[in-house]
Amino acid sequence: QKEVEQNSGPLSVPEGAIASLNCTYSDRGSQSFFWYRQYSGKSPELIMSIYSNGDKEDGRFTAQLNKASQYVSLLIRDSQPSDSATYLCAVNSLRGDKLIFGTGTRLQVFP
Amino acid sequence: EPEVTQTPSHQVTQMGQEVILRCVPISNHLYFYWYRQILGQKVEFLVSFYNNEISEKSEIFDDQFSVERPDGSNFTLKIRSTKLEDSAMYFCASSERNSPLHFGNGTRLTVT
């Protein structure tokens, strides 16, 4: 079983719509969860972090965590073409401080 | 805002040569990492470094890899004898304890 799983996409949404990105993880003891955005050829850029069950909102972004279901999601409201990128879900490992990344979901926002 | 800086941005080397990738982490961070990303694949953990020693390493980080913090600011990744399959983007990252990782812009390594 993969440690962090994401649908690779592409997920295509029209400008102004809500994009919903999902992630599941295997280590039940994981405590820290992150969403990174990666443009092609660039480095991962932190968008959101979430540590407890429920929702966390920051501007147009909402992260949702359900530890019982081992599920993390990211909602992007009012999607813009500039949001088109690959979104990486990352989870801390049980053993230490490293992050384990999913393969990423490619989001395409069309005008 | 402080950032992680990596040099060079692109390194081309011949198979069998040694390369050193350099990183300057954010100054008050204590945890340092190297990740790599082969084109079209996921970001993979290589090694983490804390308190002047390796705290964890992956299966990828075999004997041909080494890391060093030669002074108070630099953090280097050395690949002793490069192979074609080492071609990838190499990202350095740093963090405070229990905090998100901040990534540098990466070094694109091309082994010919």
Side-chain angles (χ1 to χ4, degrees):
Chain A
Q1 184 187 4
K2 290 183 186 175
E3 293 176 280
V4 180
E5 291 204 51
Q6 296 181 255
N7 187 320
S8 60
L11 172 66
S12 291
V13 300
E15 184 174 356
I18 295 175
S20 176
L21 305 158
N22 305 314
C23 171
T24 58
Y25 60 94
S26 60
D27 283 332
R28 190 168 285 279
S30 294
Q31 297 295 322
S32 306
F33 307 88
F34 306 92
W35 284 98
Y36 284 82
R37 178 175 62 200
Q38 187 177 32
Y39 293 110
S40 181
K42 303 295 185 183
S43 62
E45 172 193 7
L46 180 69
I47 296 176
M48 294 282 291
S49 57
I50 186 165
Y51 304 98
S52 53
N53 282 329
D55 294 1
K56 180 182 176 184
E57 188 175 315
D58 184 1
R60 296 187 296 113
F61 300 99
T62 299
Q64 299 173 317
L65 174 61
N66 183 326
K67 288 185 181 179
S69 301
Q70 295 174 245
Y71 176 88
V72 196
S73 66
L74 179 71
L75 300 177
I76 306 175
R77 286 181 298 284
D78 188 24
S79 295
Q80 301 297 309
S82 57
D83 294 326
S84 298
T86 298
Y87 289 79
L88 309 177
C89 174
V91 177
N92 79 306
S93 69
L94 283 180
R95 179 185 157 176
D97 44 294
K98 76 179 187 196
L99 291 186
I100 302 167
F101 284 83
T103 53
T105 298
R106 189 156 63 94
L107 173 67
Q108 295 176 334
V109 181
F110 56 91
Chain B
E1 185 177 326
E3 58 181 29
V4 177
T5 55
Q6 289 186 244
T7 54
S9 57
H10 193 185
Q11 174 86 50
V12 181
T13 190
Q14 289 189 323
M15 199 166 50
Q17 296 298 303
E18 174 184 286
V19 294
I20 297 176
L21 310 183
R22 302 180 191 279
C23 170
V24 178
I26 294 173
S27 61
N28 62 332
H29 285 184
L30 300 177
Y31 297 82
F32 314 120
Y33 310 83
W34 284 100
Y35 283 78
R36 80 170 185 191
Q37 188 175 30
I38 294 170
L39 187 64
Q41 298 186 24
K42 71 175 185 178
V43 177
E44 299 176 289
F45 170 76
L46 291 179
V47 65
S48 58
F49 193 87
Y50 170 71
N51 201 25
N52 286 322
E53 60 183 21
I54 291 174
S55 48
E56 191 175 353
K57 58 184 180 179
S58 70
E59 293 173 353
I60 304 167
F61 195 88
D62 62 21
D63 290 345
Q64 70 161 340
F65 290 90
S66 61
V67 289
E68 214 177 33
R69 187 155 163 81
D71 53 44
S73 58
N74 290 285
F75 180 51
T76 62
L77 174 70
K78 182 193 289 188
I79 309 175
R80 246 178 291 280
S81 177
T82 50
K83 308 188 195 99
L84 292 176
E85 53 265 38
D86 293 328
S87 295
M89 280 289 282
Y90 287 81
F91 295 112
C92 174
S94 69
S95 73
E96 298 175 275
R97 184 170 179 79
N98 296 327
S99 294
L101 271 58
H102 296 264
F103 285 85
N105 288 333
T107 294
R108 180 174 299 282
L109 177 64
T110 302
V111 182
T112 61

